[in-house]
């Protein structure tokens, strides 16, 4: 049953491939992740998309009922990143250094410890829903 769920797409062909076979077009997510206390931005042209319904169903199947879509999507993204990082997923990201990400609704703030020394990729800088600041 869980094999029917498709919670995540990370790649450069979202129009064709960021589609859940059960629930349709996936939602685009922030093009950066917080992994092991470091911020990683997607490589140029790569996007992160998730199916919120699949994420909730998978998390609920693990016994975590009543979880919000946002929390379920974060849990799924964290799990998949940790599971596949050393198996090649890391090649689609570039490090921005130590920091963390906070969210308020659809607006994200990326807090970078080395803000003055890092070149933030254009696709992050130009996203109207993202603020980048010194931690």
């Amino acid at each position: 049953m869980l094999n029917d769920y498709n919670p995540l797409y990370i790649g450069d062909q979202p129009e064709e491939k960021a589609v859940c076979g059960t629930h349709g077009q996936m939602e685009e997510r922030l093009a950066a992740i917080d992994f092991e206390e470091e911020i990683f931005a997607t490589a140029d042209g790569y996007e992160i998309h998730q199916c919120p319904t699949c994420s909730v169903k998978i998390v609920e199947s693990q016994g975590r009922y009543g979880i919000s879509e946002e929390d379920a999507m974060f849990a799924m993204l964290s799990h998949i990143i940790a599971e596949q990082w050393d198996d090649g997923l890391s090649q689609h990201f570039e490090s921005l250094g130590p920091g963390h990400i906070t969210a308020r609704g659809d607006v994200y703030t990326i807090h970078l410890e080395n803000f003055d020394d890092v070149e933030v990729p254009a696709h992050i800088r130009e996203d109207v829903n993202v603020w980048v600041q010194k931690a």
Side-chain angles (χ1 to χ4, degrees), residues 33 35 37-43 85 90 92-98 112 114 118-121:
I33 59 169
F35 180 61
E37 298 180 13
E38 192 166 346
I39 304 300
F40 294 90
T42 55
W85 190 255
S90 62
H92 303 299
F93 291 87
E94 61 182 280
S95 174
L96 300 182
L112 297 173
N114 57 352
V118 69
E119 177 70 29
V120 177

Side-chain angles (χ1 to χ4, degrees), residues 54-65 67 72 75-76:
C54 284
S55 296
V56 168
K57 298 243 184 235
I58 291 170
V59 171
E60 285 180 346
S61 76
Q62 298 168 344
R64 294 177 58 191
Y65 296 98
I67 192 166
M76 284 306 311

Side-chain angles (χ1 to χ4, degrees), residues 94-133:
E94 61 182 280
S95 174
L96 300 182
H100 64 280
I101 299 171
T102 57
R104 182 173 244 168
D106 291 337
V107 177
Y108 297 89
T109 303
I110 300 173
H111 307 268
L112 297 173
E113 290 181 19
N114 57 352
F115 178 77
D116 298 326
D117 302 325
V118 69
E119 177 70 29
V120 177
H123 66 282
I124 300 289
R125 280 193 326 269
E126 296 168 359
D127 187 328
V128 298
N129 293 321
V130 177
W131 293 84
V132 181
Q133 66 184 36

Side-chain angles (χ1 to χ4, degrees), residues 43-58:
D44 192 29
Y46 274 74
E47 296 180 8
I48 300 173
H49 291 255
Q50 279 188 276
C51 175
T53 305
C54 284
S55 296
V56 168
K57 298 243 184 235
I58 291 170

Side-chain angles (χ1 to χ4, degrees), residues 9-12 14-15 28-31 42-43 45-49:
Y9 171 78
I10 299 173
D12 60 357
E15 295 81 21
E28 186 171 1
R29 305 288 293 160
L30 175 65
T42 55
Y46 274 74
E47 296 180 8
I48 300 173
H49 291 255

